[in-house]
Amino acid sequence: MPPQGPWTFVRRNPTIVIGGLLMLFLVAIALAAPWIAGDPLKLAPVNRLRPPSERFWFGTDQFGRDVYARTVHGARVSLVVGFSVAIAASLIGLAVGLLCGFYRAVDAIAMRIMDGIMAIPSILLAIALITLTRPGLWVVIAAIVIPEVPRIVRLTRSVVLSLRAQPFIEAAIAGGTRTPRLLLRHILPNTLAPLIVQSTYIAASAILTEAGLSFLGVGVPPEIPSWGNIIAQGRSFFLIAPWSILIPGAFLAVMVLGVNMLGDGLRDRLDPRLARRM
Amino acid sequence: MAGDAPLLEVRDLACHFFTLDGVVRAVDGVSLALARGETLGIVGESGCGKSVTALSILRLIQKGAGRIVGGSVRFEGRELTTLSDDEIKELRGHRISMIFQEPMTSLNPVLTVGVQIAENVVRHTGAGWREAMDRAVEMLRLVRVPDPERRVHDYPHQLSGGMRQRVMIAIALSCDPQLLIADEPTTALDVTIQAQILELMVELKEKTGTAILMITHDLGVVAETCQRVMVMYAGRKVEEAPVGELFANPLHPYTRGLMRARPRLDEDAEAAGRRPRLQEIPGIVPSLNRPIAGCAFAPRCALATDRCRAERPELEVRPGGHLVACFEAGRDAP
């Protein structure tokens, strides 16, 4: 491969670059939230339902809270949920998937459990978990991770099954490679490409699910601003103050778009069959 | 071989696969012996049990699919069929190495070739990684990969098929094995590369004294590399002889058929403008999922008699170190 300048990379992978820039922007504002925006919880009844202005860029809600501050802080919840769910689901799914693909006995049992978990709708599971425990960010993350795990398990398992039939795995076995090393050095690295792609989609869907849960009031507690609960709280005043719904909604859409573009770009880049055509 | 025990001795090996269509007797009572530093070729059509024989020696038949149901495999005086899983893993890649048919896919795409050679060294000799990487460079030089110091950091996709097969040989020989099992090592390569690889294997064998079990369907490969040849048909050995003897005087009708089915450069015939048509062996290899009465080759054999169809011929010793399992051995086709 000839050495590539940064522009060649941009021209060849526009989706990665655009998706990456969107995500970079959102991560930046989430990290900088305390410095670039005021207190998202400060009530100011005098300034209720103000339209966007120089002082309140995105207007205010029915309690006079700054929608800009709330939206910027809300990015943190979405990103934390998106990344944590993607990472946790991938790690658990990868471990189970490797074992399922490699050991037939584990496969028979674990896959039936996975089928069972897949049958539980994530929203209902979240509602059940949250009624059983105190609402909080980690409960939301756990509630979203559990139903996502089987998807990763299935993916990893199918990749491992096809890898097992590969001559290089047979060759490694014929060379006396011990099982742990066979799994970790020979099989695992070959499953990563599809896994990374899948985990970006999981991040996107986790962000949406969290917003949905918060909208229903079973997500993060109301004192933490999240795009879902901002929209939920603003919905009664939609006609008078549409900005308190449209703006966090737009951010949500942009973030999901960014994650999905990144995922699509990575898929094109990492899938050798698609990569060759470029 | 007289007197001292052979390096590898396989006796009455039987490996059966248990499928829904019944028991497939892929290998059904094969015996062979290999002395230190000797090269034995196993030839036969696809599906005659060559590869299964080789895989059975290292117990690489996938559990659940097939099983060694009988016979013994003795290597350096140890019985391999009863070793524990850990003990046989210790042997693989160390005392007995194997190289496979597909060099394009037999290397892990995400590891550099150096790591893949070094890995075997670390696994079996207890050397450190630094030391093992030096060994990898040395091995690449030995198998004549140009510029080994740089190539050691290459990934498999950066190498051609011939180079990859050289790397496979480097891995296989990295721990100085006593026995190298080569399962059709040149089938996937084009002829010029094929010749280079065979030459390399013969040369390395001279240098290291490794015995080779050469599995192939190419009689040309056998002629170039082996000292003795055994011909397999339908899971059994039908003929075995020193290589010169077999080519000069094939006794089994199946072996004769294989010889006639090879293209040859016959200059006289070429000059006369008539190139003889290749002769095929009519019919196909019988399916092995039911017991075969009589000689397995009888249905395809021009010499078959009623006795051939009813009674199975056993291996008989003939002059010249020749073994053959045929009632009509040596007779010419009518």
Side-chain angles (χ1 to χ4, degrees):
Chain A
M1 228 186 279
Q4 291 186 349
W7 279 111
T8 327
F9 184 82
V10 172
R11 251 187 302 122
R12 292 217 178 133
N13 308 287
T15 45
I16 293 188
V17 173
I18 297 172
L21 286 177
L22 287 176
M23 292 313 292
L24 213 59
F25 168 69
L26 290 164
V27 169
I29 64 164
L31 287 176
W35 296 282
I36 61 168
D39 182 357
L41 301 174
K42 192 176 138 222
L43 304 180
V46 191
N47 296 323
R48 292 170 58 205
L49 302 174
R50 291 285 170 87
S53 66
E54 224 158 277
R55 193 169 152 219
F56 304 107
W57 291 0
F58 297 168
T60 60
D61 67 6
Q62 70 270 33
F63 304 114
R65 290 177 298 193
D66 185 359
V67 176
Y68 168 67
R70 291 176 69 69
T71 306
V72 168
H73 280 87
R76 303 182 134 196
V77 171
S78 293
L79 285 170
V80 167
V81 169
F83 281 114
S84 317
V85 169
I87 291 168
S90 302
L91 290 180
I92 301 171
L94 182 63
V96 180
L98 277 179
L99 296 176
C100 282
F102 202 76
Y103 295 107
R104 285 172 173 223
V106 177
D107 190 39
I109 299 163
M111 285 316 288
R112 297 297 78 74
I113 297 172
M114 291 301 139
D115 288 345
I117 294 174
M118 267 185 131
I120 305 171
S122 58
I123 302 263
L124 294 184
L125 179 71
I127 293 172
L129 275 179
I130 282 156
T131 39
L132 288 172
T133 56
R134 286 181 41 236
L137 196 53
W138 297 110
V139 182
V140 174
I141 290 172
I144 304 174
V145 165
I146 293 168
E148 292 290 359
V149 164
R151 272 178 252 283
I152 297 278
V153 171
R154 290 189 157 242
L155 176 76
T156 312
R157 172 182 174 269
S158 70
V159 176
V160 174
L161 285 178
S162 66
L163 281 173
R164 281 210 68 173
Q166 290 286 314
F168 70 85
I169 296 297
E170 276 177 55
I173 295 172
T177 310
R178 291 196 185 92
T179 311
R181 189 174 174 82
L182 190 71
L183 275 173
L184 296 179
R185 280 297 288 221
H186 291 270
I187 294 182
L188 181 120
N190 283 295
T191 62
L192 289 185
L195 194 75
I196 289 168
V197 173
Q198 183 68 19
S199 62
T200 60
Y201 295 133
I202 284 185
S205 100
I207 290 166
L208 282 174
T209 310
E210 181 276 323
L213 290 172
S214 296
F215 182 84
L216 295 172
V218 292
V220 294
E223 65 269 19
I224 304 173
S226 103
W227 293 340
N229 64 26
I230 300 172
I231 293 170
Q233 286 164 12
R235 73 185 190 281
S236 340
F237 300 91
F238 178 59
L239 289 178
I240 320 170
W243 50 84
S244 67
I245 287 188
L246 295 183
I247 290 171
F251 270 77
L252 183 63
V254 169
M255 183 178 282
V256 172
L257 178 72
V259 176
N260 276 330
M261 283 183 83
L262 206 56
D264 278 344
L266 286 175
R267 192 201 54 207
D268 293 348
R269 180 98 195 131
L270 297 176
D271 187 331
R273 276 161 299 174
L274 292 170
R276 224 164 270 147
R277 268 188 263 141
M278 292 192 275
Chain B
M1 223 201 299
D4 55 354
L7 176 71
L8 175 77
E9 189 171 23
V10 175
R11 212 171 266 164
D12 295 325
L13 181 72
C15 182
H16 292 180
F17 287 78
F18 300 87
T19 69
L20 291 177
D21 295 330
V23 180
V24 178
R25 292 164 179 80
V27 173
D28 201 13
V30 167
S31 301
L32 62 91
L34 190 57
R36 287 182 192 274
E38 191 187 20
T39 303
L40 172 68
I42 304 183
V43 292
E45 278 169 284
S46 305
C48 70
K50 312 183 292 278
S51 293
V52 176
T53 305
L55 292 171
S56 300
I57 291 171
L58 272 177
R59 301 230 316 256
L60 285 169
I61 303 292
Q62 209 160 40
K63 280 182 189 144
R67 210 170 62 224
I68 298 172
V69 293
S72 87
V73 178
R74 291 189 81 78
F75 173 75
E76 295 185 319
R78 285 164 92 192
E79 177 61 50
L80 301 192
T81 50
T82 53
L83 286 186
S84 74
D85 281 359
D86 282 341
E87 286 169 318
I88 192 98
K89 278 184 189 169
E90 201 58 57
L91 223 64
R92 293 178 189 156
H94 184 198
R95 308 296 295 165
I96 307 180
S97 280
M98 188 153 180
I99 51 182
F100 291 93
Q101 191 172 357
E102 303 97 349
M104 302 311 278
T105 50
S106 291
L107 290 167
N108 189 334
V110 302
L111 299 177
T112 62
V113 296
V115 168
Q116 297 189 55
I117 302 172
E119 185 178 61
N120 201 40
V121 177
V122 171
R123 162 76 175 93
H124 293 294
T125 65
W129 273 96
R130 191 177 296 270
E131 214 181 309
M133 286 303 281
D134 291 342
R135 175 78 175 155
V137 174
E138 191 189 315
M139 289 311 299
L140 287 181
R141 187 171 296 125
L142 186 70
V143 295
R144 288 209 221 94
V145 169
D147 204 358
E149 286 86 2
R150 256 191 40 223
R151 287 300 185 183
V152 80
H153 301 298
D154 277 358
Y155 286 92
H157 72 267
Q158 293 165 291
L159 302 175
S160 68
M163 283 296 151
R164 288 187 213 186
Q165 195 60 296
R166 283 168 196 263
V167 172
M168 291 306 297
I169 295 172
I171 295 174
L173 297 182
S174 61
C175 293
D176 297 322
Q178 288 299 304
L179 171 62
L180 177 65
I181 300 176
D183 190 357
E184 311 214 9
T186 57
T187 305
L189 303 171
D190 62 54
V191 276
T192 48
I193 306 297
Q194 201 166 355
Q196 287 174 16
I197 294 287
L198 290 176
E199 201 180 309
L200 177 72
M201 289 183 69
V202 170
E203 185 198 310
L204 291 178
K205 195 198 87 160
E206 301 293 320
K207 213 181 271 182
T208 59
T210 305
I212 300 179
L213 192 60
M214 176 72 76
I215 294 163
T216 179
H217 55 241
D218 186 340
L219 287 165
V221 170
V222 167
E224 273 175 66
T225 57
C226 300
Q227 277 128 47
R228 267 186 315 128
V229 202
M230 66 180 253
V231 181
M232 282 188 70
Y233 187 77
R236 302 181 68 89
K237 175 159 84 176
V238 294
E239 184 163 9
E240 180 181 332
V243 74
E245 165 73 17
L246 187 91
F247 279 89
N249 183 25
L251 291 179
H252 198 283
Y254 177 59
T255 314
R256 294 184 166 195
L258 287 180
M259 303 260 185
R260 277 197 300 271
R262 302 177 54 215
R264 71 183 77 207
L265 294 172
D266 190 340
E267 278 167 16
D268 295 340
E270 199 78 30
R274 53 185 169 82
R275 191 189 297 183
R277 212 187 117 103
L278 285 182
Q279 287 185 38
E280 80 230 41
I281 303 174
I284 52 162
V285 182
S287 77
L288 301 175
N289 57 5
R290 50 188 64 87
I292 297 164
C295 172
F297 188 60
R300 301 171 70 183
C301 181
L303 304 173
T305 61
D306 287 342
R307 185 178 174 211
C308 295
R309 281 180 276 268
E311 189 185 330
R312 184 156 67 197
E314 295 301 328
L315 283 166
E316 286 171 40
V317 184
R318 296 292 179 99
H322 213 128
L323 284 173
V324 64
C326 179
F327 298 125
E328 307 294 324
R331 259 187 51 200
D332 277 320

